[in-house]
Amino acid sequence: MATLREISKKIGISIATISRVLNGADNVSEETRKKVLKALKEYDYQPPQVAKRKLHHLIGILVPTLWGNHYNLIAEGIETELTANGYDSFLSSTSQLINKEKEILEQFFSRRVDGIIICTTKNDDEHIEKLIKTAIPVVAVDRKDSNIKVDSVGIDNYQSAYNGIKYLYKMGHRKILFVQASRNTYSTYEREQAVKDFAKRKNLELTVLEGNFEFEGGYYPIKEYLEKHGKNFTAIFFSNDQNALGGMRALYESGLSIPDDVSVIGFDDDRYSKFLYPPLTTIKQPRFEMGEMAAKLIIERIERKGSKVKRRIILPTELIKRSSVKQI
Amino acid sequence: MATLREISKKIGISIATISRVLNGADNVSEETRKKVLKALKEYDYQPPQVAKRKLHHLIGILVPTLWGNHYNLIAEGIETELTANGYDSFLSSTSQLINKEKEILEQFFSRRVDGIIICTTKNDDEHIEKLIKTAIPVVAVDRKDSNIKVDSVGIDNYQSAYNGIKYLYKMGHRKILFVQASRNTYSTYEREQAVKDFAKRKNLELTVLEGNFEFEGGYYPIKEYLEKHGKNFTAIFFSNDQNALGGMRALYESGLSIPDDVSVIGFDDDRYSKFLYPPLTTIKQPRFEMGEMAAKLIIERIERKGSKVKRRIILPTELIKRSSVKQI
């Protein structure tokens, strides 16, 4: 990338003339115009930023994926709040390529966003660090950040899961399976820790099965467990509603009924969860509201309202009692 | 908005000096620099576009919503293909506001997109007409356009639903319920027509229930029907997998078993469908591939490769036979 000055030297045409071409002025010969345009392209000339704080009313939103029920709902919440405040958004998903996150962030800069909302559960803080240094406002959603270096919105995964296992305990369950998902994701890691801590305290028989956040991540672990050990438990705590749905199929295929033979609790309250058979007891995560809150925060930062102190905002979850857990 | 030339005249500083400031050159006094920056801001100077057909490698994507399982998967397909070809995308959802579609399209223009992919099932062609006149390439996904005024990608909803009801017929079913969704959406309208046409031809007992594309849009119609008429049918054709999931709960709540008492078929092949109990027989709609194809088309148009003739591309659907339909 060359400056106008450098290009001017190289092609022997004055900066004033080049500027006239750039501005589409008439008083330049066609030959000169062509020569200048060719040189601008050849030397990769990029028009510079003018004023530092001119608002473009544009926010970049970075999500790991559009699949599933989580990030698309957060994104809807963000977009709704941004639109209501006259901001556009620029949504990108990193799901398809490794290192795409970095590329997308660079694109956000070149497209001149006023701020970035980054939704990711990865613990790697490298990108956030870089963002903070650029002085563009950043809000993180659903992301662990112990040192609160950036504004963030999330839930208390530990306390929420603790409430879930406590409920199973209250309903009389002492032999419980927990289906976890990727331990690289801090949210599921914290859910697992809470369940383990409670089980230890109350001396419960807890078995942790390796699953994942997808539908099959509940089906296969339960199916394999039942084949090996039979039904030696009374309740299952699934780390999200998706693997609960899959796990429920495995239970039915083994001739077990829910909740008469096995009680089941999920996490998230996906849209289908209340239409499952039986309607799924679960812990509701306020995704849409998390998105709205993230948008509010980024607008405050951009418009320099409110405090300069970074905030971590924790929204409440709710135990939704339906029919999949039975008192025994 | 003023040109450099006009600003130069007004503040009595040469274009060359202004250009040096714009380029961040060192050989400008601090006083001059400040004066220039102030003037650029005051007269709202915008760096001009260099060449008219300069590609920004940016595509606007318009979806009605990010909820559910349909448009987010199409968007993933679009993004994957665009990324592989060095294009960025700008995704906006119209779900929250009426008339937002128009606003978003205007923003796409002001953000200088090279092309627009519009995903909507509405029959109203007003916006498309406007877009065509602007000479920006447009590709429509999942949209009825009888006159092929614009490149489009979709499936044959009529033939796909016809294959579905034909399969139920082959499996011995003669008394069938069809749960439809909004008739304003051409895709569900065509599915309903196909089912009705086949039923008439084969003299089947067909009852059409009013539902919608959501989970509750299958649950309530089936629940109410069973309460009024009891089980006087052997199979249900749901217009999508979401209302099938809800309808299955209604069947189970009435003590009916699937497929022993009632056979069930859906439409879409959502990600959870094979993890339902029993795994759902359905008609797979290739959403991700529809997105990929739309991206391919828009890139061809933008880069002026391929034919100038508009194309309607129909991708194949597939009947996925699982365990929810029984031969009787």
Side-chain angles (χ1 to χ4, degrees):
Chain A
M1 201 186 121
T3 62
L4 282 193
R5 201 178 163 73
E6 290 161 358
I7 294 171
S8 164
K9 265 193 186 167
K10 279 183 183 159
I11 60 174
I13 291 174
S14 76
I15 291 179
T17 304
I18 296 176
S19 292
R20 279 203 294 277
V21 173
L22 278 170
N23 282 309
D26 290 326
N27 53 350
V28 185
S29 77
E30 188 54 20
E31 198 194 327
T32 305
R33 207 181 66 84
K34 277 189 181 162
K35 201 170 168 187
V36 168
L37 288 178
K38 191 168 164 274
L40 290 171
K41 201 173 166 186
E42 197 178 331
Y43 297 110
D44 192 25
Y45 173 70
Q46 305 277 358
Q49 287 290 79
V50 178
K52 259 195 172 172
R53 280 283 302 178
K54 190 184 177 228
L55 284 191
H56 295 87
H57 290 93
L58 181 63
I59 306 292
I61 307 171
L62 190 63
V63 295
T65 179
L66 292 170
W67 291 64
N69 305 285
H70 191 65
Y71 294 107
N72 50 346
L73 297 196
I74 291 173
E76 279 276 333
I78 295 172
E79 286 211 346
T80 303
E81 184 66 22
L82 289 179
T83 303
N85 286 279
Y87 281 80
D88 301 336
S89 58
F90 190 100
L91 178 67
S92 286
S93 138
T94 59
S95 60
Q96 296 304 322
L97 290 176
I98 299 163
N99 288 328
K100 207 181 145 191
E101 187 164 316
K102 205 180 132 203
E103 271 175 43
I104 290 173
L105 291 176
E106 275 163 17
Q107 281 158 15
F108 282 166
F109 290 124
S110 72
R111 304 277 178 217
R112 297 171 184 172
V113 297
D114 302 315
I116 295 173
I117 299 177
I118 188 166
C119 309
T120 148
T121 54
K122 276 189 282 175
N123 291 326
D124 157 28
D125 265 341
E126 206 183 306
H127 298 304
I128 290 270
E129 291 283 359
K130 266 189 205 159
L131 282 172
I132 295 167
K133 281 176 193 156
T134 63
I136 281 191
V138 175
V139 170
V141 179
D142 199 17
R143 184 185 181 95
K144 173 116 181 144
D145 169 28
S146 334
N147 300 319
I148 314 184
K149 283 184 269 185
V150 69
D151 290 312
S152 71
V153 181
I155 59 164
D156 186 336
N157 282 284
Y158 187 94
Q159 189 57 48
S160 305
Y162 202 87
N163 294 344
I165 185 100
K166 201 171 147 191
Y167 174 64
L168 289 179
Y169 180 81
K170 260 180 150 179
M171 297 293 274
H173 298 277
R174 300 293 180 267
K175 294 178 180 182
I176 299 173
L177 302 187
F178 177 71
V179 177
Q180 52 91 272
S182 155
R183 289 196 178 105
N184 291 330
T185 305
Y186 97 93
S187 56
T188 179
Y189 177 80
E190 296 201 339
R191 290 173 204 173
E192 185 180 345
Q193 289 310 310
V195 169
K196 280 181 174 167
D197 289 352
F198 186 88
K200 208 173 168 188
R201 242 186 84 196
K202 296 289 184 182
N203 221 3
L204 304 184
E205 261 185 50
L206 178 78
T207 308
V208 175
L209 305 186
E210 301 222 350
N212 63 48
F213 273 150
E214 301 302 315
F215 300 102
E216 64 263 33
Y219 176 70
Y220 293 109
I222 297 300
K223 192 180 160 75
E224 281 162 26
Y225 185 89
L226 287 169
E227 279 166 8
K228 258 194 202 164
H229 308 281
K231 204 223 87 172
N232 58 4
F233 54 88
T234 66
I236 310 176
F237 191 155
F238 287 94
S239 53
N240 77 351
D241 284 6
Q242 295 202 151
N243 58 40
L245 184 149
M248 284 166 80
R249 176 181 149 199
L251 293 170
Y252 283 130
E253 284 180 353
S254 297
L256 296 165
S257 90
I258 309 166
D260 283 339
D261 299 319
V262 178
S263 287
V264 166
I265 186 170
F267 200 111
D268 281 345
D269 195 27
D270 283 344
R271 283 190 312 132
Y272 53 78
S273 301
K274 73 169 165 176
F275 291 99
L276 292 176
Y277 181 77
L280 184 65
T281 292
T282 187
I283 294 147
K284 186 184 173 73
Q285 181 165 197
R287 291 149 159 169
F288 188 82
E289 292 77 8
M290 285 159 72
E292 279 185 318
M293 183 57 72
K296 280 195 175 85
L297 281 179
I298 198 95
I299 292 169
E300 267 188 29
R301 281 288 171 230
I302 290 166
E303 300 181 354
R304 294 183 177 166
K305 295 168 186 164
S307 156
K308 276 190 178 175
V309 177
K310 300 284 185 248
R311 291 155 292 183
R312 185 200 297 169
I313 294 184
I314 304 290
L315 296 185
T317 58
E318 188 190 349
L319 178 66
I320 310 277
K321 294 173 192 171
R322 297 199 180 106
S323 332
S324 64
V325 176
K326 191 185 163 185
Q327 176 84 52
I328 58 169
Chain B
M1 201 185 121
T3 62
L4 282 194
R5 202 180 162 71
E6 290 160 357
I7 294 171
S8 164
K9 265 191 185 167
K10 279 180 184 161
I11 60 174
I13 290 174
S14 76
I15 292 180
T17 304
I18 297 177
S19 293
R20 278 203 293 278
V21 173
L22 278 170
N23 282 308
D26 290 326
N27 52 349
V28 185
S29 76
E30 187 56 18
E31 199 194 327
T32 307
R33 207 181 67 85
K34 276 189 181 161
K35 201 172 167 185
V36 167
L37 287 178
K38 190 167 163 276
L40 289 171
K41 202 175 167 184
E42 198 178 328
Y43 297 109
D44 192 23
Y45 172 71
Q46 305 276 1
Q49 288 291 86
V50 178
K52 256 199 171 170
R53 276 283 302 179
K54 190 186 175 226
L55 286 189
H56 294 86
H57 290 94
L58 181 63
I59 305 292
I61 307 171
L62 190 63
V63 295
T65 179
L66 293 169
W67 293 64
N69 305 284
H70 190 64
Y71 294 107
N72 50 346
L73 296 197
I74 292 174
E76 280 276 332
I78 294 173
E79 286 211 346
T80 303
E81 184 65 21
L82 289 179
T83 303
N85 286 279
Y87 281 80
D88 301 337
S89 58
F90 191 101
L91 179 66
S92 286
S93 138
T94 60
S95 60
Q96 297 304 322
L97 291 175
I98 300 163
N99 287 329
K100 207 179 146 193
E101 186 165 318
K102 205 182 131 202
E103 272 176 43
I104 290 172
L105 291 176
E106 276 163 17
Q107 280 157 14
F108 282 166
F109 291 124
S110 72
R111 304 279 178 215
R112 298 173 185 169
V113 297
D114 302 315
I116 295 173
I117 299 176
I118 187 164
C119 308
T120 147
T121 54
K122 278 189 280 175
N123 290 325
D124 158 30
D125 266 341
E126 207 183 305
H127 298 306
I128 291 270
E129 290 284 359
K130 267 189 205 158
L131 283 172
I132 295 167
K133 282 176 192 153
T134 63
I136 281 190
V138 175
V139 170
V141 179
D142 200 15
R143 185 184 181 96
K144 173 114 179 145
D145 170 28
S146 335
N147 300 318
I148 314 183
K149 285 184 268 186
V150 69
D151 290 312
S152 70
V153 182
I155 60 163
D156 186 336
N157 282 284
Y158 187 94
Q159 189 57 48
S160 305
Y162 201 87
N163 295 343
I165 185 99
K166 200 170 146 189
Y167 174 65
L168 289 179
Y169 179 81
K170 259 179 150 180
M171 297 293 274
H173 299 278
R174 299 294 180 266
K175 295 176 180 184
I176 299 173
L177 302 187
F178 177 72
V179 178
Q180 52 92 271
S182 157
R183 289 196 177 105
N184 292 329
T185 305
Y186 96 94
S187 56
T188 177
Y189 177 80
E190 296 201 339
R191 289 173 204 174
E192 185 180 344
Q193 289 309 310
V195 169
K196 280 180 174 168
D197 289 350
F198 185 88
K200 208 174 167 188
R201 241 186 83 195
K202 295 289 184 184
N203 222 2
L204 305 184
E205 262 186 50
L206 178 78
T207 307
V208 175
L209 306 185
E210 300 220 352
N212 64 47
F213 274 150
E214 301 302 316
F215 300 102
E216 63 264 34
Y219 176 69
Y220 293 110
I222 297 300
K223 191 179 162 73
E224 281 163 25
Y225 185 89
L226 287 169
E227 279 168 6
K228 258 194 202 165
H229 308 280
K231 203 225 87 174
N232 59 4
F233 53 88
T234 66
I236 310 176
F237 191 156
F238 288 94
S239 53
N240 77 351
D241 284 6
Q242 294 202 151
N243 58 40
L245 183 149
M248 285 166 80
R249 176 181 149 200
L251 292 170
Y252 283 130
E253 284 180 353
S254 297
L256 296 166
S257 90
I258 308 167
D260 282 340
D261 298 320
V262 179
S263 287
V264 166
I265 185 169
F267 199 111
D268 281 346
D269 195 26
D270 282 344
R271 284 190 313 133
Y272 53 76
S273 301
K274 73 169 167 178
F275 291 100
L276 292 176
Y277 180 76
L280 184 65
T281 293
T282 188
I283 293 148
K284 185 185 174 72
Q285 182 165 196
R287 290 147 157 170
F288 188 83
E289 291 77 8
M290 285 160 71
E292 279 185 320
M293 182 58 70
K296 281 194 176 86
L297 280 179
I298 199 93
I299 293 170
E300 266 187 30
R301 283 287 172 231
I302 290 166
E303 299 181 354
R304 294 184 178 166
K305 294 168 187 163
S307 157
K308 277 190 178 177
V309 178
K310 300 285 184 247
R311 289 155 293 182
R312 184 201 298 170
I313 294 184
I314 304 290
L315 296 184
T317 58
E318 188 190 349
L319 178 66
I320 310 277
K321 295 175 192 170
R322 297 198 180 106
S323 331
S324 65
V325 176
K326 190 185 164 188
Q327 176 84 53
I328 59 169

